[in-house]
Amino acid sequence: MKKFLAAILAAMFVLANCAISFAAPYESYNYSYAKEPVPEPPSYLPAKIITGKDLGVGDLKEPEDIVVSKQGDIYIVDTGNNRLIMLDKDWNVTRVVDRFERTNKNGTIQQDTLSAPQGMFVTEDGTMYIADTGHKRLVVLDKDAKFIREIGAPKSSVIRKDFDYKPRKVVVDKANRIYVVGPGMNDGIIEFDSDGNFVQFTGSEKVEPNMYYYFWYRTFATEAQRKQTMKYIAKEYYTLDIDEQGFLYAASSDSINRLNNQGEDITKKKNEQKPSGDLKYRPLGIQNGGPSKFIDVCVDEFNIVTGLDQVRGRIFTYDYESNLLSVFGKAPGDQEGTFKAPVAIENMGDSLLILDRDLKRITQFDLTEYGRMVRQAVILHYNGDYLKSASVWENVLKLNANSEQAYVGIGKALLRQNKNEEAIKYFKLGNDRAYYSKAYKKYRREVIRNIFGPIATSIIVLLIAWRIARKLWDRRAPVRKGGEKTYVVR
Amino acid sequence: MLLDSLRYCIHVAFHPFDGFWDLKHEKRGNAKAATILVFLVVLSRVFKRQATGFIFNFNDVNTLNLGYEFRLIAVSLFMWVIANWCLTTLMDGEGSLKDIYITTAYALTPFILVYIPLTIISNYLITEEGAFYNFFNMLPTVWFCLLLFIGIMIVHQYSIKKTVLTIFLTLVGIGIIIFLGLLFVNLLEDISNFVLTLYQELVFRLY
């Protein structure tokens, strides 16, 4: 009886510890090669919630953006209150920017304010570029919030007459070129040079004449229909971020694209697919249905891109080869760690900060043990250290046997060590046909090299033996023995 | 007799003009053998789907549906044979239903001949050798079309122009069969719905 009770208690204790997976208010999954969702341990869990009241600046009102500088300083764009809140890395408020002074050409000092700013960017030296959406301009302030200059709407002959300039997100590269996107601006990303003059629209879709379109629109379509098609050719980018090398990560309606400074699309595709969030979803029209729509992206120093999907409130993390590392998040929801209207995402170290416009708060998500291991393995792989990366992937597999990326990672390390036969098994588990072929090629060569010698020798020996046997058989002489012919070898 | 008929399919595949003629007039072919050939084609297709080397196999091995694979071949064959027979009867063809069935089934042999060795070899190929794999993948389809064309020509004793016309009209005929079938199913659905609703009404009113 005592043993039985002890067994029951032990079982309860073990089962209670399985509650780790229930700590997350959302489900975590990944997509297999067959594009099926497969559950996996969460990579991020909610760690902290910060509201305006916690910071001591009063409630935030419809905040639209949050930015973390390289030094770790945090900037919150409090759109509804027309102000900017500057914080240090310990969430202490250093300054609240809601007005600034500017000197006019004739020497007078003028007070100026922001009007519904929706985005901003901070360069390495602390210079702030604010997308002052209400005033249709960019305001440039230095690190002490002193006015440097403003950049107005772009003026050029290539801009159409009804162009409504509403800057929403801005990034600045190391050469101080400024890139702006905003709603309704579907000619591409606006590029300004470092003096604030309009240069061009980058990243716009190259329109290739299609026989079908040509025929249809020339002969059948009316004027009004032709005007409508302009919308289908245009490409609207919702949000931007920039990485260390100066590549732009722009989210359009179907995916996150990586653009170089010529505006060319150099996104790496995984299985012919660009990072586009959910691969399976309920059809458009149903609540929370339709493909993922990235309202914000952020990229860290290892080219790991994280996108915030507005449709279902999920956060997708991709590595530099566009492998999906993790999915988490939920909207709408009531618990800590869920959102109502998530609008912005930013990296803070290896944690993620997500700004919720309607709940007026910032949720900080920290890496779990599983997430930490995956990140470490990806970073080691990014730095070229395949062997160390493989040993971390082995630990990942202990927690998640479905991780195809882990199998491929280990396979790559085995391939480098010329352990071809094992590498083949791992690549098959990881569903990577390209690397499987590479490993198989080497393995095949190895096997043939080993068996060629013995087989060739045995073939020659058999041939010679056959020839000798035939000659002996042909040369047999008839020997008579009581009327019957028998044969003896001469 | 059965085994000879089966072995004859290889002769037909490589010597179609001679083969199809003998199939009909010298009774070298057999309806039972034809049915066995159809089963073998289904088997080779399934074998190819499951056992192709990993590099070339994009199918999910766990989702094999034998019924689906069998129906795919059997229903297509059935529709073709019926449509062809209906048409050629009206267009002075000399082939009977049995002849057409045997001819079409024997024309399917390239699939068995090529798919089985191809699947075995694909396990030992690499991506760069994919060109060979793709060629042999496409070969039986082209071969089959040729054999079918020659078969129809010989069985009904048509000229080339008439064969082309017949094949085109047969495809149209298959379309009509599918359309009629769908219509019929729809009608049955409506009738059964009617009867069920009637029953429901009675049950609810009488209680």
Side-chain angles (χ1 to χ4, degrees):
Chain A
M1 184 61 187
K2 261 200 188 156
K3 270 199 185 164
F4 180 65
L5 278 174
I8 297 267
L9 276 169
M12 282 167 63
F13 185 67
V14 166
L15 286 172
N17 278 335
C18 293
I20 294 174
S21 60
F22 298 117
Y26 39 70
E27 286 157 349
S28 243
Y29 60 94
N30 207 317
Y31 281 100
S32 70
Y33 177 76
K35 301 205 166 91
E36 292 292 331
V38 162
E40 74 168 21
S43 290
Y44 288 92
L45 282 178
K48 210 155 111 170
I49 302 221
I50 299 120
T51 60
K53 285 217 180 74
D54 296 334
L55 299 171
V57 290
D59 254 341
L60 301 169
K61 189 169 170 197
E62 292 177 3
E64 290 272 350
D65 203 4
I66 183 168
V67 175
V68 175
S69 74
K70 241 177 143 189
Q71 292 82 6
D73 299 318
I74 306 165
Y75 302 76
I76 305 173
V77 180
D78 195 0
T79 312
N81 286 330
N82 300 326
R83 63 180 178 173
L84 209 71
I85 302 168
M86 292 167 59
L87 307 124
D88 67 10
K89 55 181 171 0
D90 297 316
W91 298 98
N92 300 317
V93 180
T94 54
R95 196 192 298 271
V96 174
V97 180
D98 51 4
R99 66 179 69 87
F100 42 89
E101 293 176 347
R102 52 188 293 188
T103 326
N104 281 341
K105 279 197 202 111
N106 50 13
T108 53
I109 297 182
Q110 184 191 349
Q111 288 281 344
D112 206 350
T113 53
L114 299 166
S115 169
Q118 285 193 355
M120 67 172 285
F121 186 82
V122 182
T123 58
E124 264 187 52
D125 56 4
T127 317
M128 299 184 273
Y129 290 76
I130 305 161
D132 196 3
T133 319
H135 286 145
K136 294 194 183 355
R137 62 174 178 179
L138 296 173
V139 172
V140 185
L141 304 174
D142 72 1
K143 60 182 181 349
D144 299 312
K146 298 250 180 337
F147 180 83
I148 298 179
R149 61 181 169 153
E150 76 169 16
I151 299 169
K155 290 188 190 34
S156 163
S157 51
V158 300
I159 298 177
R160 47 196 165 89
K161 298 270 182 337
D162 53 357
F163 185 71
D164 191 11
Y165 182 57
K166 287 199 280 253
R168 195 179 115 82
K169 294 272 183 188
V170 56
V171 295
V172 179
D173 70 4
K174 291 216 167 63
N176 285 337
R177 281 181 291 225
I178 305 159
Y179 301 90
V180 177
V181 289
M185 307 201 305
N186 45 15
D187 309 85
I189 304 171
I190 297 179
E191 185 183 329
F192 293 102
D193 65 14
S194 45
D195 297 318
N197 301 319
F198 174 75
V199 174
Q200 58 167 347
F201 287 109
T202 63
S204 48
E205 190 122 303
K206 288 187 179 41
V207 181
E208 260 144 65
N210 187 328
M211 279 269 322
Y212 172 72
Y213 276 126
Y214 199 67
F215 178 64
W216 171 254
Y217 288 111
R218 269 306 181 91
T219 48
F220 294 119
T222 63
E223 188 61 45
Q225 278 178 323
R226 258 179 247 178
K227 274 224 181 85
Q228 256 226 324
T229 61
M230 298 286 256
K231 289 196 194 146
Y232 296 117
I233 306 171
K235 195 157 179 116
E236 186 181 334
Y237 291 105
Y238 300 124
T239 183
L240 274 191
D241 200 8
I242 196 165
D243 71 4
E244 298 287 306
Q245 288 93 358
F247 292 120
L248 292 169
Y249 291 81
S252 65
S253 63
D254 51 0
S255 57
I256 302 175
N257 309 306
R258 190 157 160 245
L259 306 170
N260 65 11
N261 46 21
Q262 312 295 334
E264 284 163 2
D265 191 337
I266 50 167
T267 324
K268 273 218 180 123
K269 290 191 197 164
K270 170 92 184 145
N271 294 335
E272 312 301 310
Q273 186 97 23
K274 285 198 225 178
S276 37
D278 276 317
L279 299 174
K280 286 221 157 150
Y281 38 81
R282 289 181 288 191
L284 200 58
I286 299 183
Q287 190 201 24
N288 284 7
S292 293
K293 194 168 150 188
F294 289 110
I295 196 173
D296 200 14
V297 287
C298 64
V299 59
D300 72 3
E301 73 247 61
F302 300 108
N303 284 359
I304 295 177
V305 185
T306 312
L308 175 60
D309 169 24
Q310 189 187 31
V311 178
R312 285 169 285 273
R314 292 195 181 136
I315 293 108
F316 294 84
T317 312
Y318 296 90
D319 72 1
Y320 71 104
E321 280 178 328
S322 298
N323 291 310
L324 179 58
L325 297 179
S326 79
V327 184
F328 72 96
K330 185 172 159 193
D334 299 308
Q335 295 167 286
E336 219 176 75
T338 59
F339 317 108
K340 199 157 166 218
V343 283
I345 187 170
E346 187 69 338
N347 292 307
M348 189 171 90
D350 51 15
S351 302
L352 287 172
L353 297 174
I354 289 145
L355 179 66
D356 192 323
R357 184 186 59 211
D358 287 355
L359 291 175
K360 301 178 223 180
R361 66 185 194 195
I362 301 158
T363 316
Q364 179 180 329
F365 289 85
D366 285 344
L367 282 170
T368 59
E369 190 193 335
Y370 174 75
R372 207 172 287 283
M373 282 200 277
V374 170
R375 190 182 158 83
Q376 192 188 16
V378 166
I379 291 173
L380 284 167
H381 188 272
Y382 179 75
N383 289 329
D385 203 340
Y386 293 122
L387 292 169
K388 277 218 200 98
S389 172
S391 55
V392 183
W393 281 127
E394 265 166 47
N395 290 332
V396 169
L397 280 178
K398 286 190 195 138
L399 289 180
N400 179 14
N402 286 327
S403 175
E404 285 174 354
Q405 201 181 353
Y407 288 116
V408 173
I410 298 175
K412 283 187 190 167
L414 288 171
L415 192 64
R416 284 194 164 228
Q417 294 167 322
N418 266 323
K419 294 192 186 139
N420 301 319
E421 196 175 352
E422 288 174 51
I424 290 173
K425 289 196 201 116
Y426 276 94
F427 286 129
K428 188 159 186 187
L429 283 166
N431 269 314
D432 191 325
R433 283 167 175 80
Y435 272 100
Y436 183 95
S437 178
K438 280 199 193 125
Y440 189 74
K441 193 170 169 185
K442 292 170 85 173
Y443 175 63
R444 198 172 69 173
R445 200 179 295 160
E446 214 177 271
V447 167
I448 290 182
R449 203 177 286 157
N450 287 336
I451 65 172
F452 182 74
I455 288 202
T457 324
S458 40
I459 289 178
I460 294 178
V461 164
L462 278 169
L463 266 169
I464 297 178
W466 175 248
R467 297 289 292 279
I468 296 178
R470 286 226 30 200
K471 278 229 175 82
L472 290 175
W473 184 251
D474 287 340
R475 278 215 255 129
R476 59 186 187 264
V479 167
R480 287 181 197 281
K481 207 176 191 187
E484 254 186 42
K485 275 195 188 172
T486 55
Y487 293 96
V488 130
V489 175
R490 194 183 288 168
Chain B
M1 177 60 185
L2 200 63
L3 220 59
D4 282 331
S5 303
L6 279 174
R7 243 180 290 171
Y8 197 64
C9 73
I10 302 178
H11 182 247
V12 169
F14 289 100
H15 304 89
F17 291 99
D18 189 36
F20 282 119
W21 178 269
D22 286 348
L23 215 55
K24 179 176 159 141
H25 291 106
E26 310 226 348
K27 300 286 181 240
R28 297 289 296 271
N30 196 328
K32 275 205 203 111
T35 318
I36 294 180
L37 278 177
V38 172
F39 273 102
L40 282 176
V41 168
V42 175
L43 238 74
S44 342
R45 268 185 65 98
V46 168
F47 182 58
K48 175 170 183 283
R49 186 187 187 279
Q50 300 294 95
T52 318
F54 176 68
I55 297 178
F56 303 102
N57 194 344
F58 298 98
N59 305 311
D60 189 353
V61 178
N62 303 319
T63 58
L64 171 68
N65 187 343
L66 270 176
Y68 169 77
E69 298 284 337
F70 177 71
R71 279 196 303 273
L72 198 67
I73 304 284
V75 170
S76 318
L77 189 87
F78 179 71
M79 284 198 299
W80 168 273
V81 167
I82 299 279
N84 200 317
W85 173 63
C86 292
L87 238 92
T88 52
T89 316
L90 296 169
M91 286 175 65
D92 302 319
E94 290 179 18
S96 68
L97 184 62
K98 187 166 162 198
D99 290 330
I100 299 175
Y101 174 61
I102 294 175
T103 311
T104 321
Y106 273 74
L108 282 170
T109 54
F111 288 110
I112 309 171
L113 292 176
V114 176
Y115 276 175
I116 296 187
L118 179 65
T119 311
I120 297 174
I121 292 180
S122 74
N123 284 296
Y124 303 106
L125 290 178
I126 57 177
T127 322
E128 285 86 359
E129 288 150 12
F132 291 115
Y133 178 79
N134 281 327
F135 172 73
F136 283 105
N137 216 0
M138 211 188 38
L139 180 69
T141 316
V142 174
W143 196 352
F144 163 70
C145 289
L146 267 169
L147 284 181
L148 195 63
F149 186 87
I150 296 172
I152 300 284
M153 208 167 76
I154 293 185
V155 152
H156 302 301
Q157 291 296 300
Y158 282 157
S159 68
I160 292 193
K161 270 193 213 153
K162 208 161 180 200
T163 320
V164 172
L165 184 68
T166 313
I167 290 184
F168 171 69
L169 286 175
T170 313
L171 292 171
V172 172
I174 291 179
I176 296 178
I177 294 178
I178 294 176
F179 171 69
L180 286 173
L182 284 171
L183 215 65
F184 186 61
V185 166
N186 218 331
L187 218 74
L188 275 179
E189 214 180 328
D190 281 339
I191 294 177
S192 76
N193 214 351
F194 173 71
V195 172
L196 276 170
T197 323
L198 204 69
Y199 170 74
Q200 272 179 337
E201 290 283 322
L202 285 173
V203 164
F204 282 130
R205 295 211 190 242
L206 291 179
Y207 272 107

